[in-house]
Amino acid sequence: MTCPDKSGQLLNWFVCSLCVPRVCKLWSSRRPRTRRNLLLGTACAIYLGFLVSQVGRASFQRGQTTDRGPPHSHDISKVLFPEIPLDGTLAPPESQDNGSTLQPNVVYITLRSKRSKPANIRGTVKPKRRKKYAVASVAPGQDELVKPSFILQGVARAADAEVPGYAQGYLAKVGERPWRVPRGPGIRTGGSNLQQPRVRESNIRIYSESAPSWLSKEDIRRMRLLADSEVANILPAVSNSGARLLVFEGSTSGSVPGCGPSPCGLLKQPLDMSEVFAFHLDRILGLNRTLPSVSRKSEFIQDGRPRPIVLWDSSLASASNDSHSSVKITWRTYQQSLKQKCWLNGRVPRPEWGCTEIHHHEWSKMALFDFLLQIYNRLDTNCCGFRPRKEDACIQNGLRPNCDDQNSVTLAHIIQRKNDPRHLVFINNKGFFDRSEDNLNFKLLEGIREFPDSAVSVLKSQHLRQKLLQSLFLDKVYWESQGGRQGIEKLIDVVEQRARILVTYINAHGVKVLPMNE
């Protein structure tokens, strides 16, 4: 046992030399054991026990140090003492005058507290968005984008690709950007070269695996044709509205009609953008009487404003120059045919009934469609059922005074197909969304006693808004030209209000709702 203090060592040995002989003498002699002698002996015995315990502990700790450390190593700093405080409150040993440091019998340890990582509570940390990238097919000459797939981030950065966050399905969230293809002469991945073709982004955007159920595959194919095909030629159209006939590259295949060997589209004026809305509304209501129409920006037009393009259908019957109709019918003949229910249930009409080849249900579909969009250029060409504006065609052409003799007024834009004269095709579907509720044209509903249940059920189901948003979102140019979702919502508000008025009219006048899927 080694002690740093020599005076303390001498004091211990001196006390031991006095106590041991005295204790032995007290217990071995026959003197009377007085109280003083007993106390003195007891004190000496306690001190001897304390001294022996100190010697034993020092020996035990020295043995542990020897066993833990390497041979001939006496680094006492590696020995842990449970009785020493670990908070760094002990002062370090002081140096002597000669520069040597006293070797203490304790170790001064200062522990640095480990900084704990803050808890990542779920929902409090904004997760990082993983980027997704679309890869185009490596096959040469391919014009379509394959399904989106993930590629390496390094490849994506080199190609400057972007990925959407919204999406819906749709609308859900209805404001997501389309997939984009990595651009560039080539991308190297895993030691192989993927030659990326320059694929132009389609203006018809479909993010899900399939298009909305009310749009057929043929509708989607024709919409892509009108929106994305290259224009090979421009021909003047036989029309006073300034429309032009666009001849697209390629040849007509399948059921795509054309103006000769190539498919064509009728390019209309920017004020006719409601043609696109009318097409989607027609498909949602299950009428299927309008021609596919999309919005497109034409690089050959100076103003660069988006315009509607309607598919040119060569299967339509030829129309007359005065009424632009394939069948000539006046308002009186029209009202008489509604009473006779021409061709209903396969019944052949009599000659004196004044029926045309058009089926009775076709007039009900047209009246419902025209009322929702307030289209007057078919059943009310003279604007007799509402208060027209100065810019309306009936005022410009001076037809308003003819309302005094309505029975002789000829209906316009009544078009059939050459191979299907029983059904109508709705053309020139320019609607008006700025007409107030107190100025709606109820003359369009005159004489109608039945409406199609497929259309009325949609109007009553409260899903018209959702379907219109999903459908119109496909046409990127039209969506952006109307101010995005905010502008589209305003148009839908008008149509929904008219739908409620129409349902009220049906209930008030006892109009029947029948299946019309003949």
Side-chain angles (χ1 to χ4, degrees):
M1 175 180 175
T2 58
C3 297
D5 194 352
K6 293 183 179 180
S7 60
Q9 183 180 6
L10 295 176
L11 179 61
N12 290 336
W13 286 110
F14 177 75
V15 173
C16 290
S17 60
L18 293 178
C19 291
V20 172
R22 190 172 183 84
V23 171
C24 293
K25 185 176 181 180
L26 288 173
W27 288 100
S28 59
S29 64
R30 294 183 178 179
R31 289 183 181 182
R33 301 177 181 177
T34 61
R35 180 176 297 179
R36 186 186 62 178
N37 293 335
L38 289 176
L39 291 177
L40 183 60
T42 302
C44 292
I46 291 174
Y47 185 81
L48 289 175
F50 172 77
L51 184 61
V52 171
S53 65
Q54 290 294 330
V55 175
R57 177 181 295 182
S59 301
F60 175 75
Q61 290 176 353
R62 185 177 180 181
Q64 283 186 343
T65 304
T66 305
D67 294 340
R68 291 181 182 180
H72 308 285
S73 176
H74 300 283
D75 190 2
I76 197 171
S77 64
K78 297 182 180 180
V79 183
L80 298 179
F81 295 89
E83 66 274 14
I84 299 177
L86 303 180
D87 55 357
T89 56
L90 294 180
E94 297 180 357
S95 299
Q96 295 180 352
D97 298 337
N98 56 4
S100 62
T101 305
L102 296 177
Q103 297 297 329
N105 60 349
V106 294
V107 179
Y108 303 93
I109 301 176
T110 303
L111 296 181
R112 180 177 297 176
S113 61
K114 184 178 180 181
R115 185 177 62 181
S116 60
K117 189 176 181 180
N120 184 5
I121 303 176
R122 185 173 184 178
T124 61
V125 180
K126 183 179 181 181
K128 294 183 179 179
R129 292 184 176 181
R130 298 180 58 186
K131 289 188 176 182
K132 304 176 184 178
Y133 304 92
V135 181
S137 174
V138 297
Q142 186 175 359
D143 294 334
E144 295 183 356
L145 182 66
V146 297
K147 293 183 177 180
S149 58
F150 294 105
I151 61 176
L152 298 177
Q153 293 183 1
V155 178
R157 296 190 189 99
D160 192 24
E162 292 185 0
V163 173
Y166 128 242
Q168 111 213 153
Y170 198 82
L171 226 226
K173 303 206 227 88
V174 125
E176 297 184 25
R177 291 175 299 175
W179 296 101
R180 298 186 63 183
V181 187
R183 311 279 181 172
I187 298 177
R188 181 182 298 273
T189 56
S192 61
N193 291 329
L194 296 179
Q195 194 70 21
Q196 300 293 336
R198 294 188 176 273
V199 181
R200 188 176 64 179
E201 181 180 322
S202 175
N203 288 325
I204 305 302
R205 46 190 181 184
I206 301 177
Y207 297 140
S208 58
E209 296 181 357
S210 60
S213 59
W214 50 87
L215 293 174
S216 64
K217 294 182 180 180
E218 194 66 26
D219 289 334
I220 297 298
R221 190 161 71 93
R222 294 180 179 184
M223 291 170 62
R224 292 189 184 276
L225 171 69
L226 296 173
D228 303 329
S229 297
E230 297 291 338
V231 179
N233 195 6
I234 304 176
L235 301 176
V238 183
S239 175
N240 297 329
S241 60
R244 303 179 184 182
L245 194 62
L246 304 183
V247 181
F248 301 111
E249 293 183 354
S251 59
T252 57
S253 59
S255 60
V256 178
C259 49
S262 301
C264 301
L266 190 63
L267 181 65
K268 294 194 172 185
Q269 297 298 323
L271 295 177
D272 300 327
M273 288 293 287
S274 56
E275 291 266 5
V276 180
F277 192 99
F279 164 68
H280 290 273
L281 179 63
D282 167 74
R283 294 300 191 267
I284 292 173
L285 297 178
L287 304 178
N288 299 323
R289 293 295 180 266
T290 62
L291 298 175
S293 177
V294 301
S295 183
R296 178 168 177 167
K297 291 182 179 179
S298 302
E299 59 278 0
F300 46 83
I301 303 298
Q302 293 182 357
D303 56 6
R305 298 166 61 186
R307 298 166 178 249
I309 300 182
V310 183
L311 182 68
W312 178 269
D313 195 342
S314 58
S315 65
L316 300 182
S318 58
S320 61
N321 294 331
D322 53 350
S323 63
H324 306 286
S325 301
S326 59
V327 55
K328 187 174 182 179
I329 180 173
T330 62
W331 179 261
R332 175 182 294 179
T333 307
Y334 166 65
Q335 290 295 321
Q336 185 177 355
S337 64
L338 292 178
K339 295 178 181 179
Q340 299 298 334
K341 299 182 179 181
C342 301
W343 304 102
L344 184 62
N345 299 326
R347 184 179 58 176
V348 179
R350 297 179 181 180
E352 61 270 17
W353 290 355
C355 293
T356 62
E357 294 179 331
I358 302 173
H359 195 278
H360 174 68
H361 287 166
E362 295 299 301
W363 302 114
S364 300
K365 296 178 180 180
M366 175 180 286
L368 181 143
F369 184 72
D370 287 0
F371 181 82
L372 292 177
L373 296 176
Q374 288 295 295
I375 301 173
Y376 64 88
N377 60 1
R378 280 190 280 259
L379 300 176
D380 189 15
T381 56
N382 294 343
C383 305
C384 300
F386 66 102
R387 300 184 301 274
R389 302 171 301 175
K390 294 181 180 180
E391 55 269 21
D392 287 330
C394 58
I395 300 297
Q396 296 290 334
N397 300 329
L399 301 177
R400 177 73 173 178
N402 297 337
C403 293
D404 297 335
D405 187 13
Q406 299 185 23
N407 292 330
S408 61
V409 176
T410 303
L411 305 186
H413 304 292
I414 307 300
I415 299 295
Q416 309 155 282
R417 296 185 186 274
K418 298 177 182 178
N419 56 353
D420 187 12
R422 295 285 185 270
H423 300 92
L424 293 174
V425 179
F426 302 162
I427 64 171
N428 294 337
N429 302 310
K430 180 181 179 180
F432 298 89
F433 297 93
D434 56 350
R435 195 165 298 165
S436 59
E437 297 179 11
D438 59 348
N439 193 29
L440 296 180
N441 191 355
F442 283 92
K443 183 178 174 60
L444 304 174
L445 306 178
E446 188 173 339
I448 301 297
R449 295 293 178 264
E450 303 94 3
F451 280 120
D453 62 344
S454 61
V456 176
S457 62
V458 174
L459 301 180
K460 293 181 178 180
S461 64
Q462 306 298 325
H463 296 309
L464 180 61
R465 176 180 298 271
Q466 177 185 359
K467 291 184 177 182
L468 281 172
L469 287 174
Q470 290 179 343
S471 192
L472 293 172
F473 181 78
L474 302 182
D475 195 327
K476 178 183 176 182
V477 178
Y478 180 79
W479 183 273
E480 295 176 352
S481 67
Q482 302 302 314
R485 177 163 185 166
Q486 184 177 2
I488 298 294
E489 292 269 13
K490 294 180 180 179
L491 302 179
I492 299 177
D493 291 339
V494 176
V495 176
E496 277 191 335
Q497 181 62 24
R498 294 174 182 175
R500 288 190 289 267
I501 295 175
L502 180 60
V503 172
T504 304
Y505 176 89
I506 292 174
N507 297 331
H509 292 77
V511 180
K512 298 180 181 179
V513 179
L514 304 175
M516 298 183 181
N517 299 323
E518 75 286 342

